[in-house]
Amino acid sequence: MTSHYFSFADADVVLRSAAPHATEFRVHKSLLSAASPFFKHMFALPQKPLSTACPEVPVIDVYEPKSTLEALLRFVYPTSRPSIDTLDELTPILEAAMKYDMVSVIDILRARLVAPDFARVAPTRVYAIACRFDLEEEAKVASRHTLNVNVLDCPLHDDLKHITAYAYHRLLDLHRKRAKAAQELLQLSEDVKCMQCNGARYHAFLPPKWWSDFHERAKQELAVRPTTDVVFSMPFLAHSAQAGCERCAGSILDAHWFLDQLKRKIDDLPSTI
């Protein structure tokens, strides 16, 4: 079987994908050599012609399946790039690009790996893949996105088999330290008041009832997801307003400056491995 995309008449080498759907890709040594030091060195060695369709052209058997090899070559050749819509599609292509040292393809796939539709939806998987291939910058980006999820309650995936205990510990350590630091910042300013909660003892500092509820739930939330996305959301604050007195909702509105400052302090905490 010959590839639909790669069946050039002037090809001087054939790459044959792995069984069971072995496919011949009739390509050019010059392009592969420019894209890959691996192939450049390989082509310096004598190649035995084995192609039945074109006996004068040497054939190289590779371990990649048809879909992976085709996608890889589409990144190398000046043709339409393949659409990579899932991490299951990206990982084998990235693995092949790493194997053949195709730097330009690796750079494209690194950017795709940390695109929002991957990093936000499956941050722990992205982190695991980045660590597997020693992509430190991408691992840092992914680690920031993991702050929005409970890393101890994420779906178990085979990607985690390929990372070290050290890499996983780094992620847990980030969550633990940031959660602790964020919880310690939950200190109420004495300028935040509630007319009804303070009542006759207005000159004595008593925390509004909404703060007591907010403080307790925020500590619990930050312990699991040490980010500000949930604890400063309207539903979260509304719950605290309802848990307080009749004037606590107004107190929360008046304390917007304090909540903004608190949010910024938490956001400024170290957020990557």
Side-chain angles (χ1 to χ4, degrees), residues 132-229:
R132 173 185 176 182
F133 296 109
D134 295 323
L135 303 176
E136 181 67 12
E137 290 306 312
E138 286 68 27
K140 288 182 177 180
V141 173
S143 69
R144 182 183 296 111
H145 285 287
T146 67
L147 298 175
N148 294 306
V149 301
N150 182 355
V151 293
L152 295 178
D153 193 33
C154 290
L156 192 62
H157 198 276
D158 286 347
D159 289 318
L160 292 171
K161 292 180 180 179
H162 301 286
I163 68 171
T164 64
Y166 175 74
Y168 188 59
H169 179 77
R170 288 177 76 192
L171 188 63
L172 295 181
D173 195 49
L174 167 67
H175 279 247
R176 178 182 60 81
K177 289 181 178 178
R178 184 179 166 96
K180 184 175 183 293
Q183 291 170 334
E184 291 174 351
L185 288 174
L186 295 175
Q187 302 293 329
L188 184 65
S189 169
E190 292 189 4
D191 294 325
V192 176
K193 303 287 186 179
C194 172
M195 295 298 293
Q196 185 165 324
C197 291
N198 293 108
R201 294 191 293 174
Y202 179 80
H203 294 291
F205 179 71
L206 294 174
K209 292 180 180 179
W210 71 263
W211 172 258
S212 299
D213 176 82
F214 175 85
H215 183 266
E216 184 59 32
R217 291 190 303 115
K219 284 181 63 177
Q220 295 176 8
E221 173 63 28
L222 290 170
V224 177
R225 286 170 286 271
T227 181
T228 59
D229 288 358

